[in-house]
Amino acid sequence: LLMTIKAIAFDLGGVLFADGKTQALKKLQTEQGYDSDKLRSVLTSPLSHDLRRGKVSDDEFWAWAQQQEPSWDVQLIKNIWYDSYVLDDDIKDLMDRLRGRYALVAFTGNVVSRVDFLNKRYGFRDWFDVEVYSFDCGETKPSKRFVEIMIQKAGCSGNEVFYVDDQEKDAYPAREFGVTVAIYKKGEVGHLMDAMRAAGIDI
């Protein structure tokens, strides 16, 4: 029996927006000569996960980042990182087609200040019916508990949720709850729409 999808969850970085971290690392290496491996290890460090979980503040995280490499301009890093989350118009258009017929859910491991920055720029929070942020839940991807919270907030069961992420490593726990998962790569919205239609979503 084909399940009826009621909610569609979207990751932010890498889906609704470009993968800002990857873009920023390239730019900082090219333009500032920063060591992108070292910078990546800071931006994906255990402390960065604590930042997403709301366990440490922005100021604490960036003070620690500065200690890792005193020559870095951490304000510049933060600005370029946040600035690199450029809207993916294909996903925005798709959301516009689905809105009102399905509950649209923002499901993201993210940072308060980055959500604020992107909302000031795009007003994206108004595009969602439900928002599930790591910093509100004390959990981040790929935590199973975080998926459970998302399903609960979506107000349906796991098999009624369709979830779009750009990383299998972040998405796999959702499969255990019966969630239909699609991995999205920028420019491949056609594949995503095919996967949605296959799950019975009316586009």
Side-chain angles (χ1 to χ4, degrees), residues 122-134:
Y122 297 107
F124 80 89
R125 295 186 63 181
D126 292 340
W127 307 343
F128 290 98
D129 302 300
V130 178
E131 298 170 279
V132 186
Y133 296 116
S134 53

Side-chain angles (χ1 to χ4, degrees), residues 104-115:
L104 301 182
V105 182
F107 180 48
T108 177
N110 218 311
V111 181
V112 176
S113 60
R114 187 173 357 139
V115 167

Side-chain angles (χ1 to χ4, degrees), residues 69-153:
E69 180 50 75
S71 69
W72 284 345
D73 177 345
V74 293
Q75 191 57 51
L76 178 73
I77 292 171
K78 185 177 176 179
N79 292 348
I80 287 179
W81 185 18
Y82 286 16
D83 215 37
S84 299
Y85 288 89
V86 177
L87 183 65
D88 186 325
D89 291 318
D90 290 343
I91 297 294
K92 171 68 166 75
D93 292 346
L94 180 57
M95 286 177 63
D96 289 343
R97 294 170 70 167
L98 297 165
R99 187 172 297 103
R101 296 181 296 120
Y102 300 91
L104 301 182
V105 182
F107 180 48
T108 177
N110 218 311
V111 181
V112 176
S113 60
R114 187 173 357 139
V115 167
D116 288 347
F117 172 88
L118 291 171
N119 195 49
K120 279 195 185 81
R121 176 169 284 184
Y122 297 107
F124 80 89
R125 295 186 63 181
D126 292 340
W127 307 343
F128 290 98
D129 302 300
V130 178
E131 298 170 279
V132 186
Y133 296 116
S134 53
F135 48 78
D136 289 331
C137 303
E139 299 281 348
T140 194
K141 297 174 187 178
S143 140
K144 285 187 191 178
R145 179 76 194 113
F146 195 31
V147 176
E148 281 184 305
I149 294 167
M150 180 270 284
I151 293 167
Q152 199 180 344
K153 287 195 171 205

Side-chain angles (χ1 to χ4, degrees), residues 39-58:
L39 189 50
R40 181 183 293 278
S41 73
V42 166
L43 298 185
T44 58
S45 61
L47 201 68
S48 79
H49 287 277
D50 284 343
L51 178 64
R52 289 179 179 86
R53 282 193 285 260
K55 306 291 188 199
V56 298
S57 70
D58 255 42

